[in-house]
Amino acid sequence: MTDFLNISPRTDAVQEMHGHGIDHPHDTWVRNLEATAALLIALGSLFTFAAGVGAIPDAGVARWAQDCLFPLQFPVFFFCTGYLYQRYRTVRTRRAWVLNLRREAVVLLVPFAVFTLLGLATGSLTGTARTLTLPEAARALLLEPVAPLGYFYTCFLLYAITPTPISRRNAYGIVLAAVICKVAIVALWTLPSTAPAAAALPYAVSSVAENWIWFAGGIAIALLRALPLMRSREKAWALGALWIAASIITFTAGWIGEASHAILDAIGIMWVVSLFSTLFRSGMQSRFYGFATRYTMAFWLMAPLCLRLLFFLLVSLGVPPVAPWACLGLGALVCFGAPVALMVGLSRLGGLGFIVYPGRYLAPVPASIAKNPKL
């Protein structure tokens, strides 16, 4: 076990979301994109908190962001995960598959289990629908994850069903399979006659069908080395304008649904990949992202829990009606400050940071499945 788990974190694994030890200058844009997605997820929790305390209305720009902008962030996570998987793994044999899943079981399922239980415990305290009971814990861990922790659950399943392709033909096959799954699940959810059947599908099936396309897209971009084709300020601006216009039209017309989300997410991923790969093309890191990338997981895992606890405390004291804007300021401080403070504290308490970033405490990836690309 000592060759698999370290007591202190490895410095080469600090700035990548899952702590695999990736520190290549060409991946600066990926790490920064992941950090941005995490910050936006935390911001989404802050918007919900702000609406709850009466500081902002749950309509207009806030509702547009909740319906269009914030849901884009998890497809971005899946894309980045697939991209890095193809760049830094060689998983094409049964032994490689076992070794990779062994590692990912720790990297993904430890924070999944810990924060699932913490989320249910928070629900018990605040009186939400899902509380910490044995049946509910089993359901959340095995069948229906607590939002937003389904990312870990789905990501593990995607690793389990997706090898790293060795040729363009293999990559096209994986992307085609993912597209078929996406079209099928969108059709099931969209057609009135099949929507009940879609709702009855196991979470594992529906979530993989919905998100495999983003994971496969990341793999394809990495294998085909298509990133240079997406890099330019003009393309980033054009795709950004297209996404914003499409999202506003979709929101205003009330067309929010599975089909519209699929289209918006596809455009949105192309936009942010073009934007970040252009901005950070040199591989140089900025001070802001140098800091933020150290806490990517902490922001999106801890911020919702901290804000739920703060909301419960403030409501119990009767504060929101009296000082909604003061509540919002306090909420912003907790949303972005508490995860950093908690992560620093956990890292200094005998390696308890392992529950958030297991990958930082694992031994380097076995040479038999590791890949060190030149680009």
Side-chain angles (χ1 to χ4, degrees):
M1 185 69 174
T2 56
D3 64 340
F4 186 62
L5 180 63
N6 298 319
I7 296 176
S8 57
R10 305 191 333 267
T11 57
D12 66 339
V14 170
Q15 289 190 306
E16 192 261 327
M17 180 171 165
H18 292 309
H20 291 152
I22 300 167
D23 193 23
H24 197 292
H26 282 294
D27 296 322
T28 298
W29 72 271
V30 185
R31 297 197 300 269
N32 293 353
L33 179 53
E34 289 176 331
T36 302
L39 289 168
L40 285 172
I41 291 169
L43 183 62
S45 299
L46 181 60
F47 271 39
T48 301
F49 172 85
V53 298
I56 62 173
D58 188 17
V61 175
R63 177 45 51 188
W64 166 82
Q66 294 285 11
D67 286 348
C68 300
L69 178 62
F70 300 137
L72 171 63
Q73 308 317 312
F74 283 103
V76 168
F77 275 167
F78 284 116
F79 176 91
C80 292
T81 302
Y83 180 84
L84 294 174
Y85 176 53
Q86 178 63 31
R87 273 177 60 75
Y88 291 94
R89 292 289 186 276
T90 301
V91 181
R92 302 186 187 110
T93 66
R94 181 178 298 179
R95 172 173 170 75
W97 181 81
V98 170
L99 287 174
N100 190 62
L101 278 193
R102 176 196 179 201
R103 186 179 185 86
E104 295 305 332
V106 179
V107 171
L108 296 170
L109 300 186
V110 166
F112 170 65
V114 169
F115 282 89
T116 291
L117 297 178
L118 287 175
L120 293 176
T122 302
S124 296
L125 176 63
T126 59
T128 55
R130 304 192 70 171
T131 57
L132 186 57
T133 62
L134 186 58
E136 189 60 39
R139 184 166 74 94
L141 291 171
L142 300 175
L143 300 175
E144 190 178 340
V146 176
L149 301 176
Y151 164 77
F152 294 108
Y153 185 97
T154 305
C155 200
F156 183 74
L157 295 176
L158 291 174
Y159 278 125
I161 66 171
T162 314
T164 54
I166 193 172
S167 67
R168 290 173 176 263
R169 182 178 179 181
N170 295 150
Y172 294 150
I174 290 174
V175 171
L176 178 60
V179 168
I180 291 172
C181 288
K182 183 67 172 180
V183 171
I185 195 67
V186 167
L188 283 174
W189 275 111
T190 303
L191 298 174
S193 60
T194 56
L201 287 173
Y203 178 89
V205 174
S206 61
S207 184
V208 166
E210 288 176 359
N211 295 296
W212 194 16
I213 182 60
W214 317 128
F215 188 81
I219 288 175
I221 294 295
L223 176 69
L224 303 176
R225 298 190 177 185
L227 196 61
L229 298 176
M230 305 177 71
R231 284 178 176 150
S232 83
R233 293 183 181 273
E234 293 77 14
K235 290 177 183 177
W237 279 106
L239 288 167
L242 176 61
W243 184 86
I244 292 172
S247 65
I248 291 174
I249 292 171
T250 300
F251 174 76
T252 304
W255 294 339
I256 299 297
E258 288 294 318
S260 62
H261 270 305
I263 295 170
L264 289 176
D265 289 345
I267 299 171
I269 288 174
M270 289 190 292
W271 167 35
V272 295
V273 169
S274 177
L275 177 64
F276 277 78
S277 65
T278 299
L279 290 176
F280 299 97
R281 183 174 185 173
S282 68
M284 296 294 292
Q285 183 60 289
S286 66
R287 286 189 177 182
F288 172 78
Y289 279 111
F291 174 81
T293 51
R294 291 173 172 265
Y295 303 99
T296 298
M297 291 271 282
F299 283 127
W300 74 269
L301 286 175
M302 296 179 179
L305 293 181
C306 292
L307 287 174
R308 283 168 62 189
L309 290 172
L310 177 62
F311 181 78
F312 174 73
L313 175 62
L314 292 175
V315 170
S316 299
L317 297 174
V319 177
V322 179
W325 287 101
C327 292
L328 176 58
L330 181 59
L333 180 63
V334 168
C335 180
F336 298 107
V340 174
L342 289 170
M343 194 65 229
V344 170
L346 288 173
S347 299
R348 293 179 178 177
L349 291 174
L352 286 179
F354 178 82
I355 66 174
V356 182
Y357 282 104
R360 292 182 179 178
Y361 296 80
L362 299 181
V365 177
S368 59
I369 63 171
K371 186 196 302 181
N372 187 19
K374 296 179 181 179
L375 177 60

